[in-house]
Amino acid sequence: CSGFLYSQTSPILSDYIEFDGSTGYVEIPGDSSNNFDADDAFTFEAWIKISSGPSNNGDKTHIFGRTWSEFYLLNDNGNIKLQGRYRVETIGNWPEVTSSSSLSLDTWYHVAFSYSKANGALSIHLNGQLDGNTPSSSFITKVAEGTLGGNPIVLGARIDSAYSSVWGFFNGSIDEARIWNVQRTTQEINSNKSSTQSQNSNLVLYYKLDDGPGSSVIDSSGNNLTGTASGTYQWSRPTVALTDTDSDNIVSGSNLVT
């Protein structure tokens, strides 16, 4: 056969992790390198594919979550929206931002949630474009290392260190999760969303999520904060669809897992 065409379903040509929506998540240790209160700024970004959204109006399932900040899918009257928020001081309110767009199932999206006190903005980006923005210029709750058990971070759920609970499990796939200690610009997010990253002083956590098999999730940021996958999850490889164009139909419609 000759003249093969192929389509790559994973957006950055790598493996990824799938969560079952009931018990699966990755826990990352809290550390002084990822205390957002140091500069009152952060960006979380990842590729996601949703298998099933939150069930009822107002329900959440988390892409990323820790005690004082979270980024999640929100059931908004039957539509799946992105929403993010952070805690102001220890007893303060929760400024939040919601995406304008709704998301569909079984589709890869690049999503980003960011904040900067200096810039006065809490933002959501979808596929590299600004899709939600809320004015905010408050201090983030102080989460110094050792406070509340080190305030770990979770991918695929939210962890609340104050109550030792994990909840809001994400049902779907996550790839290329990155956390920065600055608010990335639209240009930076868009121009880098489809490529792997080199180590950078502002890139404080970086999980390529191509580690399988096993439960260790390697941090490629240089801070060496290895995450641990728990519950029900699986490592998946991209499906490449091959189509034969020479009319013999030998591989038409077939799938090859590489």
Side-chain angles (χ1 to χ4, degrees):
C1 299
S2 60
F4 292 122
L5 303 176
Y6 69 91
S7 61
Q8 176 64 58
T9 60
S10 181
I12 54 171
L13 309 180
S14 71
D15 300 354
Y16 51 89
I17 193 168
E18 290 186 74
F19 299 112
D20 71 332
S22 60
T23 62
Y25 65 97
V26 173
E27 183 171 340
I28 300 161
D31 181 79
S32 58
S33 66
N34 55 64
N35 280 350
F36 299 157
D37 65 286
D39 299 297
D40 292 295
F42 63 84
T43 300
F44 170 86
E45 58 179 318
W47 284 93
I48 66 167
K49 183 172 69 170
I50 307 164
S51 297
S52 178
S55 300
N56 302 307
N57 187 44
D59 285 356
K60 308 173 184 178
T61 56
H62 288 74
I63 305 164
F64 148 90
R66 71 191 310 180
T67 302
W68 302 126
S69 54
E70 53 183 339
F71 185 37
Y72 47 87
L73 306 178
L74 174 72
N75 183 320
D76 182 22
N77 293 311
N79 298 307
I80 301 174
K81 298 288 188 74
L82 295 166
Q83 191 170 81
R85 65 179 194 157
Y86 74 95
R87 185 71 175 266
V88 177
E89 304 295 346
T90 305
I91 57 173
N93 60 2
W94 290 80
E96 66 184 27
V97 59
T98 306
S99 65
S100 299
S101 302
S102 298
L103 280 67
S104 301
L105 303 182
D106 301 317
T107 301
W108 280 105
Y109 295 98
H110 185 266
V111 298
F113 168 47
S114 66
Y115 172 66
S116 168
K117 181 180 183 297
N119 295 338
L122 184 65
S123 303
I124 285 176
H125 285 76
L126 181 63
N127 291 334
Q129 301 302 313
L130 185 65
D131 199 67
N133 195 64
T134 297
S136 184
S137 57
S138 301
F139 291 103
I140 299 174
T141 299
K142 185 171 180 59
V143 289
E145 185 178 4
T147 303
L148 297 175
N151 203 351
I153 296 169
V154 162
L155 303 177
R158 181 182 178 216
I159 190 166
D160 191 329
S161 300
Y163 301 101
S164 300
S165 60
V166 179
W167 59 281
F169 296 96
F170 177 79
N171 189 338
S173 305
I174 299 180
D175 201 3
E176 283 286 315
R178 308 164 187 171
I179 297 180
W180 307 76
N181 61 8
V182 295
Q183 185 174 45
R184 302 272 281 171
T185 66
T186 297
Q187 181 179 359
E188 288 170 333
I189 291 170
N190 189 47
S191 62
N192 291 281
K193 68 182 187 296
S194 297
S195 59
T196 57
Q197 296 291 289
S198 301
Q199 291 184 5
N200 181 297
S201 60
N202 296 127
L203 181 59
V204 295
L205 291 170
Y206 180 20
Y207 298 94
K208 296 181 180 181
L209 297 170
D210 54 7
D211 306 90
S215 60
S216 294
V217 183
I218 303 302
D219 174 19
S220 297
S221 71
N223 288 317
N224 299 316
L225 292 175
T226 300
T228 303
S230 300
T232 303
Y233 63 91
Q234 67 177 14
W235 299 102
S236 296
R237 312 199 81 179
T239 300
V240 181
L242 300 177
T243 301
D244 179 23
T245 60
D246 64 3
S247 302
D248 62 11
N249 295 318
I250 291 177
V251 296
S252 179
S254 67
N255 288 316
L256 173 66
V257 177
T258 60

